[in-house]
Amino acid sequence: MIDLSGKSAIVTGGSRGIGRAIVLALARQGADVAFSYKGNADAAAEVVAAVEALGRQALAHRGDVSEPDAAEGLVAATLGAYGRIDILVNNAGITRDDLVMRMSTDAWRDVVDTNLSGAFYAIRAAMRPMIRARAGRIVNVSSAAGRAGNAGQANYSAAKAGLIGLTKAVAREVASRGITCNAVAPGFVLTELTSGLAEPIQEGIRAATPLGRFGTVEEIADAVVFLASDEAAYITGQVLGVDGGLVMS
Ligand code: NAP
């Protein structure tokens, strides 16, 4: 039975969708959770209330993960509130889809800066307290698109594949300090991020998924909680597909 009592976690992009489910799942297992969000203060306040209703503490920190200073601020606020950082989940992510030949430089940069550089800034900021504690769990939320590529998502696929490389490099770098670093790679989950996708495209993804359905935010959160737990102590540098079998390798 996974027990995160007494542990403190950071989740980036915890106000909605998969991040919100991760915050609540960590709290349900006993962790206090600090999370960031970009702008939706009402959604963030709702998540804080939901965590407190579970008897745990929550801290909502407004900040853009693509800004290096935001990561430093989030880590400082978490240490100030809880005195430790046991778990870091890099979940914040965006899409700005287009075909390569039409993709703007801004669309490329925004997605790479948020989905890949954002995780690097947060890992760098959380590393010192984790190394000092000689313990830590880092979980990066990649994507099936980062493992297999997706037409119309060159920026997103590249950033999510980069996140896998980052995961493996960090895993090797800090293994001797008792810190693990893994990634989960969700398939298709209905959230605000994906709700705009045309029905025929959604149908195509469902048809290509061996389990024949989309995932739920809770199913992604369950995998993250496992990788963040003591039960996953001997797992590092791995990519766990949580995608109904969409990508097998
Ligand atoms: P979502 O519903 O759009 O939620 C995104 C969350 O991230 C929100 O809390 C948002 O905050 C926050 N956020 C966005 N940009 C941010 C920034 N620059 N700085 C700080 N926070 C930011 O997305 P989701 O579907 O839950 O996706 C979560 C993660 O899973 C992403 O990394 C995504 O790539 C990955 N993923 C999703 C799917 C899927 O099918 N949904 C599949 C594979 C991978 P605000 O509320 O303030 O906007």
Side-chain angles (χ1 to χ4, degrees):
M1 155 82 181
I2 290 174
D3 182 8
L4 302 178
S5 304
K7 298 205 187 283
S8 144
I10 290 178
V11 179
T12 65
S15 54
R16 292 185 289 113
I18 292 170
R20 177 184 183 278
I22 293 170
V23 171
L24 294 179
L26 291 168
R28 221 170 275 125
Q29 301 306 321
D32 295 322
V33 190
F35 66 90
S36 68
Y37 65 102
K38 188 172 182 188
N40 194 332
D42 288 345
E46 185 273 330
V47 175
V48 169
V51 170
E52 288 173 351
L54 293 167
R56 305 310 328 161
Q57 300 182 68
L59 180 89
H61 190 268
R62 186 176 187 147
D64 184 338
V65 292
S66 68
E67 305 283 346
D69 290 351
E72 301 291 341
L74 177 60
V75 164
T78 308
L79 287 174
Y82 309 136
R84 53 192 290 160
I85 298 169
D86 302 287
I87 297 160
L88 167 66
V89 183
N90 285 304
N91 164 79
I94 57 166
T95 52
R96 281 188 66 177
D97 299 352
D98 216 336
L99 297 173
V100 167
M101 65 180 180
R102 282 207 306 248
M103 186 173 287
S104 70
T105 305
D106 276 354
W108 173 268
R109 285 190 179 145
D110 282 356
V111 169
V112 172
D113 288 355
T114 301
N115 297 13
L116 176 57
S117 304
F120 161 67
Y121 300 141
I123 291 170
R124 184 176 60 182
M127 196 51 82
R128 213 176 290 277
M130 283 187 175
I131 286 178
R132 224 177 279 129
R134 300 194 70 79
R137 294 273 183 274
I138 300 168
V139 184
N140 298 319
V141 180
S142 179
S143 168
R147 301 173 74 200
N150 210 12
Q153 290 194 312
N155 49 0
Y156 185 79
S157 302
K160 292 298 189 183
L163 203 47
I164 291 172
L166 176 67
T167 299
K168 293 177 180 178
V170 170
R172 289 185 187 280
E173 203 171 304
V174 295
S176 64
R177 313 301 183 101
I179 302 167
T180 66
C181 184
N182 292 288
V184 296
F188 192 88
V189 179
L190 262 182
T191 65
E192 284 174 53
L193 187 83
T194 48
S195 58
L197 222 58
E199 183 54 38
I201 295 177
Q202 291 194 22
E203 200 37 59
I205 297 169
R206 198 182 282 119
T209 303
L211 288 179
R213 64 172 178 85
F214 299 150
T216 66
V217 293
E218 289 80 12
E219 287 170 328
I220 311 304
D222 285 345
V224 172
V225 166
F226 168 63
L227 290 172
S229 72
D230 288 347
E231 279 75 0
Y234 199 52
I235 302 173
T236 198
Q238 303 304 306
V239 183
L240 177 56
V242 189
D243 62 1
L246 184 64
V247 182
M248 297 190 191
S249 64

